[in-house]
Amino acid sequence: MSLAAEAFVSQIAAAEPWPEKATLYQPLKEDQILLSDSASSLAVQTFLRMCGLPVQVSCCANAEYMSPSGKVPFIHVGNQVVSELGPIVQFIKAKGHSLSDGLDDVQRAEMKAYMELVNNMLLTAELYIQWCDDYTATEISRPRYSSPYSWPLNHILAYQKQWEVRRKMNAIGWSGKSLEQVYEDVSQCCQALSQRLGTQPYFFNKQPTELDALVFGHLFTILTTQLTNDELAEKVKSYTNLLSFCHRIDQTYFKEHDRESQVS
Amino acid sequence: MGTVHARSLDPLPMQGPELGVQADDMDLGEPEQEEKQEVLENKDVVVQHVHIDGLGRTKEDILTYEVADVFRAKNLIDVMKKSHEARQKLLRLGIFRHVEVVIDTTEGADALPNGLDVTFEVKELRRMTGSYNTMVGNNEGSMVLGLKLPNVFGRAEKLTFQFSYGTKETSYGLSFFKPQPGHFERNFSINLYKVTGQFPWSSLRETDRGVSTEFSFPIWRTNHTLKWEGVWRELGCLARTASFSVREESGHSLKNSLSNTVELAGYTGGDVSFLKEDFEIQLNKTLFWDSVLSTSLWGGMLLPLGDKPSSIADRFYLGGPTSVRGYSMYSIGPQSEGDYLGGEAFWAGGLHLYTPLPFRPGRGGFGELFRTHFFLNAGNLCNLNYGEGPRAHLSKLAECIRWSYGAGIVLRLGNIARLELNYCIPMGVQSGDRICDGVQFGAGIRFL
């Protein structure tokens, strides 16, 4: 969208309050969704919970094709459709909710840098493991991705997606990497995050920001998803402060919140 | 005993010297008119040989069926008639550029005195013909390449290939047709295609990649086609502003269907399943003063099988200059934010009076292609909530009927297409329908 159109749209969006029936769309949870999409979806859900905005999660087999940018998750709010964490954060900001208002410019720049690190390292590593590792692709990714479709469409779509991801890996120079190198990269990324987190409850001390939501989304999903082996989860587990960070956010925003809503 | 040339069935005088019968060639006696007539009309003949000259790659066995009838002719008039019919049959195979008939007396050792030889001189079509066109329209330019290979293996098989490369979309089609030797009406064809379409009235874009096989055969007096089709269908939004209902239908699906005039999808696989029927009836009656009264009725129903709802690409659409006039293209019925979603059942009827132009300008020539046209159209399109019984369905289709009336001019293009310019007054408009009252222009092949 052009700059003027974007400004116009965000003005319109800002005028409306958050509706009751906001919905978040993702692929089918049990059979279809893959690690990378699940992580992105959890990041958005966590961010919305941190902002105190209620949202319903709806699972559709064609969520990826419904999305205006082709990536999941996306939210349907009023008559606006917004996909991916970055634009969603902007959209929420236009409505007057923001988690990073309390940060000064230096901190905000730092936050953006770490978010880029997670996207470039963790997300890319997840995609690599899913689609470029032959064993994982054959055992997990292709069967899951194509589960809602009948033969022969399931094979066609699964291979199409695999080629697309491999081309992307080629373009960013990851195709030459071996699986071991990718695990090393994940480890280094976790080390950087762990150092930044230190002993604080959140990355920017007391208040959670979108960075916390993003890191939680990826790390928690890695820890709780069963892959062909446990190496990825082990890399994360070796950093105890990250483990307790995930546990803390899960407790605060998911378990307790659900308990509260059950009681009320 | 002289030579008779029969070329096509040009009107032949039965008497006189044009026949090429020279008096001095005849062995018989007096060249009397009556006797000549007797020779030609009543004399028994036997067709001894039928030759087909000029064959290259065509195999003879398929042609024997087409010319077999000629042997049964008993007299000369019969021979000429049956030769003409055989010539038509050879031409309809679509493998010859032209066919000439030569009827001659038999020569040689086994020649009977009343024996005739019929020779078909044929010229085969070229092995491959191609065409190249460029098309511009609707913000898109495209290049269309066509290739046709008639009579590929010698038994009237036809292979056609068409490829369209455009600035926005690419489509192609490959088709192979084979008739049964001896029974041209029984044939089958296999098609492979990729087709893209844009439907701005629903903000929908559709890409179909499919393969289909068709069997055609005549049963008694009707022609039946049995078709199996497997299509990989991809739906998407045409614009960022498409309504959410259309967005929800985006994605891929596989349609596997069998159709006669009724289409049954889903029993042989795929993830789209439904039973679809539609029909068209038209009755015409000529009235006084060269005017024609025409009534037509269309209807259709889509019954989803299983629990999946019907897909937007399979539903019926109604409205526009070729169906219920006075409404915008396909703009009747269920819609969401301006995008028309189609319906699972519809009916439409039209009553037309066609008269020649007033004062008949250009009578006998160009003016004959035009007609003035008074019409009354009505129709309805809706979704049905199954399980309520047929009475509820009928009453649903009978409430909120859209109708329109008006007058205009029709131009006939060839025997196929029509252009219409009408002044329409739409009535019974429901909220959500988009109308085009006043002057409406329509071009097409199939009109209500």
Side-chain angles (χ1 to χ4, degrees):
Chain A
M1 263 202 290
S2 70
L3 230 46
E6 267 185 57
F8 182 64
V9 163
S10 55
Q11 272 220 319
I12 304 271
E16 296 167 7
W18 190 261
E20 283 295 314
K21 261 184 15 132
T23 325
L24 178 141
Y25 289 87
Q26 65 170 35
L28 302 174
K29 200 162 174 179
E30 286 303 312
D31 301 311
Q32 186 191 20
I33 198 169
L34 294 175
L35 175 61
S36 47
D37 293 336
S38 190
S40 308
S41 176
L42 186 59
V44 172
Q45 286 178 54
T46 316
F47 177 72
L48 290 173
R49 283 187 187 227
M50 287 173 173
C51 294
L53 298 171
V55 75
Q56 263 178 332
V57 175
S58 174
C59 298
C60 297
N62 60 341
E64 191 180 345
Y65 306 107
M66 280 166 70
S67 160
S69 71
K71 298 219 170 52
V72 289
F74 68 92
I75 54 173
H76 181 213
V77 176
N79 60 356
Q80 296 272 327
V81 179
V82 192
S83 64
E84 295 181 77
L85 183 65
I88 289 176
V89 170
Q90 297 280 15
F91 178 71
I92 305 279
K93 194 157 175 204
K95 285 208 181 287
H97 306 267
S98 177
L99 293 180
S100 51
D101 271 344
L103 301 179
D104 63 29
D105 285 339
V106 173
Q107 288 178 314
R108 196 163 294 142
E110 211 185 331
M111 180 186 76
K112 288 219 167 81
Y114 276 99
M115 285 178 81
E116 279 303 301
L117 176 72
V118 173
N119 278 332
N120 288 340
M121 279 289 189
L122 270 186
L123 182 60
T124 316
E126 285 165 5
L127 283 172
Y128 183 94
I129 293 168
Q130 274 166 200
W131 294 106
C132 296
D133 175 35
D134 282 324
Y135 186 57
T136 315
T138 317
E139 291 295 313
I140 299 180
S141 313
R142 284 203 303 265
R144 280 185 74 91
Y145 186 77
S146 60
S147 57
Y149 302 103
S150 45
W151 184 90
L153 191 58
N154 52 0
H155 293 304
I156 297 174
L157 291 179
Y159 278 102
Q160 219 178 37
K161 179 78 180 175
Q162 183 170 323
W163 290 331
E164 189 190 314
V165 174
R166 287 195 181 180
R167 264 205 305 273
K168 183 180 168 191
M169 292 293 144
N170 247 340
I172 58 174
W174 275 55
S175 53
K177 293 198 182 188
S178 69
L179 203 53
E180 289 312 311
Q181 283 176 313
V182 171
Y183 285 138
E184 257 317 293
D185 287 337
V186 169
S187 203
Q188 283 181 357
C189 179
C190 291
Q191 189 179 38
L193 290 171
S194 176
Q195 276 182 341
R196 181 64 184 81
L197 183 62
T199 49
Q200 299 167 352
Y202 301 111
F203 278 92
F204 291 96
N205 207 9
K206 293 294 193 308
Q207 292 304 323
T209 56
E210 44 262 36
L211 175 61
D212 299 278
L214 182 62
V215 171
F216 171 74
H218 281 274
L219 295 183
F220 190 79
T221 315
I222 291 175
L223 290 170
T224 53
T225 305
Q226 184 78 315
L227 285 177
T228 51
N229 59 25
D230 286 327
E231 267 209 61
L232 197 57
E234 290 302 318
K235 297 285 179 198
V236 175
K237 278 187 192 155
S238 57
Y239 298 94
T240 46
N241 61 346
L242 292 179
L243 264 185
S244 52
F245 168 78
C246 292
H247 190 69
R248 191 180 321 122
I249 294 194
D250 187 31
Q251 277 294 110
T252 323
Y253 290 102
F254 287 88
K255 300 230 168 38
E256 280 193 15
H257 189 271
D258 293 340
R259 207 177 307 139
E260 272 172 32
S261 53
Q262 271 180 4
V263 166
S264 61
Chain B
M1 179 144 55
T3 351
V4 174
H5 287 281
R7 286 182 165 272
S8 315
L9 203 65
D10 298 333
L12 287 169
M14 286 293 109
Q15 301 149 6
E18 289 94 333
L19 293 164
V21 176
Q22 302 292 336
D24 34 334
D25 278 2
M26 287 183 61
D27 290 340
L28 290 181
E30 311 77 56
E32 285 165 5
Q33 295 279 62
E34 297 75 13
E35 226 180 324
K36 276 189 202 164
Q37 275 187 322
E38 196 198 357
V39 163
L40 296 164
E41 274 182 14
N42 301 329
K43 174 147 188 187
D44 267 351
V45 296
V46 167
V47 177
Q48 286 195 270
H49 304 117
V50 173
H51 305 278
I52 307 184
D53 284 346
L55 294 181
R57 61 184 189 274
T58 317
K59 302 278 184 288
E60 279 188 30
D61 49 17
I62 58 156
L63 301 176
T64 45
Y65 295 100
E66 316 297 336
V67 300
D69 236 11
V70 177
F71 284 105
R72 274 182 247 157
K74 289 290 172 253
N75 57 52
L76 188 59
I77 299 300
D78 221 10
V79 170
M80 292 204 285
K81 197 163 77 164
K82 290 215 157 42
S83 311
H84 172 66
E85 281 167 11
R87 177 178 171 275
Q88 298 288 76
K89 280 171 136 183
L90 285 174
L91 281 174
R92 81 155 166 24
L93 291 178
I95 56 184
F96 298 126
R97 190 193 297 278
H98 50 77
V99 177
E100 309 277 343
V101 182
V102 175
I103 304 179
D104 199 351
T105 49
T106 341
E107 317 259 323
D110 60 338
L112 295 174
N114 59 348
L116 289 183
D117 267 359
V118 180
T119 309
F120 292 91
E121 283 164 9
V122 303
K123 180 137 193 297
E124 287 177 345
L125 288 172
R126 275 201 296 239
R127 256 188 206 276
M128 179 156 80
T129 49
S131 68
Y132 173 85
N133 305 312
T134 42
M135 294 198 306
V136 177
N138 257 356
N139 297 332
E140 180 179 4
S142 56
M143 169 195 103
V144 182
L145 181 70
L147 276 178
K148 190 159 85 163
L149 280 79
N151 204 10
V152 168
F153 301 119
R155 290 194 172 83
E157 303 90 350
K158 191 161 69 173
L159 192 67
T160 46
F161 177 63
Q162 192 177 38
F163 180 74
S164 161
Y165 181 77
T167 48
K168 283 189 196 161
E169 316 270 14
T170 305
S171 56
Y172 52 78
L174 180 69
S175 162
F176 177 74
F177 167 83
K178 177 166 169 65
Q180 182 181 8
H183 302 95
F184 190 72
E185 285 71 26
R186 282 195 220 145
N187 52 59
F188 82 89
S189 65
I190 302 181
N191 307 303
L192 200 65
Y193 59 88
K194 174 191 169 198
V195 159
T196 50
Q198 298 194 343
F199 308 106
W201 49 84
S202 305
S203 299
L204 186 73
R205 188 170 30 144
E206 179 176 345
T207 303
D208 286 350
R209 294 172 184 87
V211 58
S212 75
T213 0
E214 269 179 53
F215 286 93
S216 270
F217 44 89
I219 290 185
W220 192 44
R221 285 194 217 161
T222 55
N223 213 340
H224 275 253
T225 310
L226 196 65
K227 181 159 120 169
W228 171 83
E229 191 173 12
V231 182
W232 165 16
R233 199 161 58 191
E234 184 182 344
L235 297 174
C237 298
L238 198 55
R240 187 100 172 48
T241 50
S243 69
F244 201 72
S245 319
V246 173
R247 197 174 275 285
E248 276 180 324
E249 305 242 22
S250 309
H252 297 264
S253 63
L254 187 68
K255 183 174 92 158
N256 204 316
S257 71
L258 275 177
S259 66
N260 191 346
T261 40
V262 175
E263 185 179 1
L264 173 66
Y267 265 39
T268 40
D271 25 57
V272 175
S273 52
F274 56 79
L275 183 65
K276 185 176 185 183
E277 292 182 41
D278 75 276
F279 69 90
E280 290 177 30
I281 304 176
Q282 191 181 66
L283 297 166
N284 302 314
K285 182 149 178 57
T286 318
L287 302 175
F288 48 84
W289 290 339
D290 281 344
S291 54
V292 175
L293 187 69
S294 171
T295 51
S296 53
L297 181 65
W298 291 355
M301 191 160 93
L302 175 70
L303 184 64
L305 303 170
D307 43 9
K308 271 206 196 151
S310 57
S311 164
I312 193 174
D314 296 314
R315 293 197 274 260
F316 297 104
Y317 291 83
L318 189 65
T322 56
S323 60
V324 181
R325 297 168 179 79
Y327 289 82
S328 287
M329 192 73 169
Y330 295 143
S331 301
I332 289 180
Q335 56 94 23
S336 160
E337 297 166 36
D339 294 334
Y340 290 89
L341 308 173
E344 286 158 358
F346 84 102
W347 68 270
L351 184 68
H352 301 261
L353 179 66
Y354 296 98
T355 64
L357 293 175
F359 308 116
R360 303 207 182 213
R363 182 174 191 158
F366 189 60
E368 290 301 312
L369 296 175
F370 288 87
R371 287 283 183 274
T372 44
H373 161 224
F374 303 91
F375 66 87
L376 176 68
N377 288 154
N380 201 356
L381 176 84
C382 60
N383 287 317
L384 302 177
N385 301 315
Y386 299 95
E388 285 175 10
R391 186 158 297 175
H393 296 174
L394 284 177
S395 68
K396 186 118 186 254
L397 281 173
E399 64 191 24
C400 311
I401 295 180
R402 283 88 164 163
W403 58 283
S404 67
Y405 63 93
I409 300 186
V410 176
L411 167 65
R412 192 183 72 201
L413 292 177
N415 248 333
I416 309 172
R418 231 157 88 164
L419 294 178
E420 285 192 4
L421 190 66
N422 295 311
Y423 186 86
C424 319
I425 299 155
M427 312 280 286
V429 182
Q430 302 297 314
S431 70
D433 298 341
R434 205 161 28 217
I435 59 169
C436 180
D437 63 348
V439 178
Q440 189 180 41
F441 175 72
I445 293 172
R446 182 177 166 257
F447 283 81
L448 177 65

